[in-house]
Amino acid sequence: MSALASILLGAAGDLAVPIIKKILGDKLGGASGEIAGKVIDIIADKAGVTPDKLPGVPDDDLRDAIIAAEPAAADILVQHVESQRLMNETLQAELDKGGPIWTWAWRPGWMWLLGFIWLYTIVLRPLVNAAFGASIEAIDLGTLMVLTGTFTTFYMGGHTALRGIKEWRAGK
């Protein structure tokens, strides 16, 4: 925990601001730094200073700023929880949509295949060649990059590309 978060947590400890205490005191996964940073920015804004000047704010003013920031901190936490809920629903919908296995299995299948091919090209083939004096031919890295890029394009932008093609054909 940063020194600034420790100072604010100490000041918030005596006040009835449970959301700020939770955000600054608990671990909220990978987003804890981002959420705590937003809360610190809000407290600094309420105190009328920049975040790096918060340690110099008088205790009474800091307490007032923390109390004033509590509603905004609650909103940030609610937004984070809602975002997580929507992400979980999206992932669950992907799993529940049913249908033949090939309609969804191509993505993890290609990920594992490409991962193995990169491992083979960069690690396994050179090790086998060095250990056994073999001369196994290398896969062309340019071809492997094109294959990986094509997969990534389909995986991450397939629907966007299809929508763009449809709009282009419709003359929009």
Side-chain angles (χ1 to χ4, degrees):
M1 183 183 322
S2 72
L4 184 55
S6 297
I7 291 168
L8 292 173
L9 185 59
D14 301 332
L15 305 172
V17 287
I19 303 298
I20 290 179
K21 280 193 254 183
K22 179 157 185 63
I23 289 172
L24 295 178
D26 289 351
K27 299 284 186 242
L28 296 175
S32 65
E34 181 181 337
I35 293 172
K38 287 178 183 178
V39 170
I40 290 170
D41 290 343
I42 292 169
I43 293 170
D45 184 55
K46 298 293 183 185
V49 297
T50 59
D52 59 328
K53 303 260 192 288
L54 273 175
V57 173
D59 288 345
D60 291 339
D61 293 341
L62 185 60
R63 286 188 180 102
D64 291 342
I66 291 171
I67 291 170
E70 176 72 2
D75 287 342
I76 289 172
L77 194 57
V78 166
Q79 289 171 4
H80 174 72
V81 169
E82 181 65 13
S83 170
Q84 292 296 313
R85 186 188 66 76
L86 291 172
M87 187 177 358
N88 290 342
E89 284 180 4
T90 303
L91 293 172
Q92 190 60 44
E94 180 75 18
L95 294 173
D96 291 343
K97 69 181 178 181
I101 287 181
W102 66 269
T103 61
W104 61 268
W106 69 273
R107 291 176 291 201
W110 268 98
M111 282 188 257
W112 281 103
L113 177 65
L114 286 171
F116 175 76
I117 292 172
W118 278 101
L119 178 71
Y120 166 80
T121 301
I122 296 173
V123 177
L124 298 177
R125 187 194 60 79
L127 280 175
V128 169
N129 283 346
F132 300 110
S135 59
I136 301 171
E137 271 190 53
I139 296 173
D140 179 44
L141 287 177
T143 303
L144 190 53
M145 285 296 295
V146 168
L147 182 64
T148 304
T150 303
F151 166 74
T152 304
T153 300
F154 283 131
Y155 182 70
M156 299 184 84
H159 289 290
T160 304
L162 287 175
R163 186 176 62 232
I165 290 169
K166 287 178 184 176
E167 287 179 6
W168 177 71
R169 284 185 179 166
K172 289 186 178 182

